[in-house]
Amino acid sequence: MKRIFRYLGATSDWGLHYGTSNVRGGYSDADWGAGEDRKCVGGFAFLPNGGAISSTSKKLNSIALSTTQAEYMAMTQAAKEILWLRVLLDELGAFAHIEQLSQLHGDNQGAHALARDPEYHARTKHIDIQDHFVRQLVTTEKVDLEYCSTSDMIADIMTKALPRVTHDKHSTAMGLHNAREDGHGTLREGAC
């Protein structure tokens, strides 16, 4: 309980600021079998204007047999969010952000290949049909997959503990800033 209160006290000045980061689109990642039950944790973040509007971290339902499958399962969850965001943005009239949020960045080349290749492969026959949902969205061009290096994978913050420097880098990319500081880490004039 003390740890929670310390965290809340130390982060009370933090908030999301839009337009402060050049990062755009969606980011999806998974942590393969790190839990005691060997289930993966998948996460995603969507940033239309340099700030997160949707993010989640969730234990995936089944045990992945490879990092490719874990990342592919996380991409499926992110792809479902893309569909929802597209409808929401369309209803709000925010058409400029629809294409941007349809870009899904991932750091696993195998998952990207699996999403683009409808051919049968013996090595992937164990992957559940529901996870191939992302393949359908890529084929119909509702989702555009983009490779992102692991060092730039913003969704890492949703799936695993990170070194402080990396955590701060990804927090800033998601538009999370200390309200008492400007974008360069120096205290703003008039802040106490």
Side-chain angles (χ1 to χ4, degrees):
M1 195 61 114
K2 284 182 182 179
R3 188 173 168 187
I4 292 170
F5 284 119
R6 268 188 253 135
Y7 171 78
L8 292 173
T11 59
S12 63
D13 292 335
W14 288 79
L16 286 173
H17 299 266
Y18 294 92
T20 60
S21 168
N22 292 327
V23 178
R24 304 284 189 269
Y27 291 80
S28 170
D29 197 33
D31 186 17
W32 181 46
E36 288 182 26
D37 61 359
R38 307 305 288 165
K39 289 187 178 177
C40 305
V41 174
F44 59 75
F46 289 94
L47 314 132
N49 190 21
I53 62 164
S54 177
S55 62
T56 193
S57 177
K58 180 181 178 186
K59 187 179 287 195
L60 301 175
N61 294 330
S62 58
I63 297 173
L65 300 179
S66 66
T67 55
T68 295
Q69 183 182 6
E71 297 275 353
Y72 195 60
M73 290 163 57
M75 279 183 182
T76 297
Q77 298 305 311
K80 291 191 289 188
E81 187 75 2
I82 286 174
L83 289 182
W84 181 82
L85 286 171
R86 287 173 63 108
V87 170
L88 176 67
L89 293 172
D90 185 58
E91 288 177 3
L92 294 174
F95 307 113
H97 298 297
I98 292 175
E99 184 177 332
Q100 192 179 92
L101 287 181
S102 295
Q103 286 185 335
L104 183 59
H105 298 83
D107 62 357
N108 186 284
Q109 296 280 8
H112 280 253
L114 189 57
R116 290 187 174 106
D117 184 9
E119 296 295 318
Y120 169 80
H121 297 285
R123 290 184 311 240
T124 59
K125 67 182 178 184
H126 63 279
I127 295 177
D128 197 354
I129 291 170
Q130 72 175 352
D131 295 321
H132 291 300
F133 176 69
V134 70
R135 180 183 293 163
Q136 178 186 350
L137 296 178
V138 169
T139 303
T140 59
E141 298 180 356
K142 290 183 178 172
V143 172
D144 178 28
L145 291 180
E146 298 285 331
Y147 177 75
C148 172
S149 71
T150 300
S151 62
D152 294 328
M153 177 44 64
I154 293 167
D156 263 356
I157 202 168
M158 308 302 291
T159 62
K160 57 188 75 84
L162 298 171
R164 181 169 186 118
V165 172
T166 307
H167 182 272
D168 290 348
K169 173 186 170 185
H170 294 330
S171 294
T172 301
M174 290 178 67
L176 188 61
H177 297 279
N178 188 329
R180 295 181 58 205
E181 297 177 358
D182 66 17
H184 303 294
T186 56
L187 209 54
R188 281 194 328 219
E189 188 175 330
C192 32

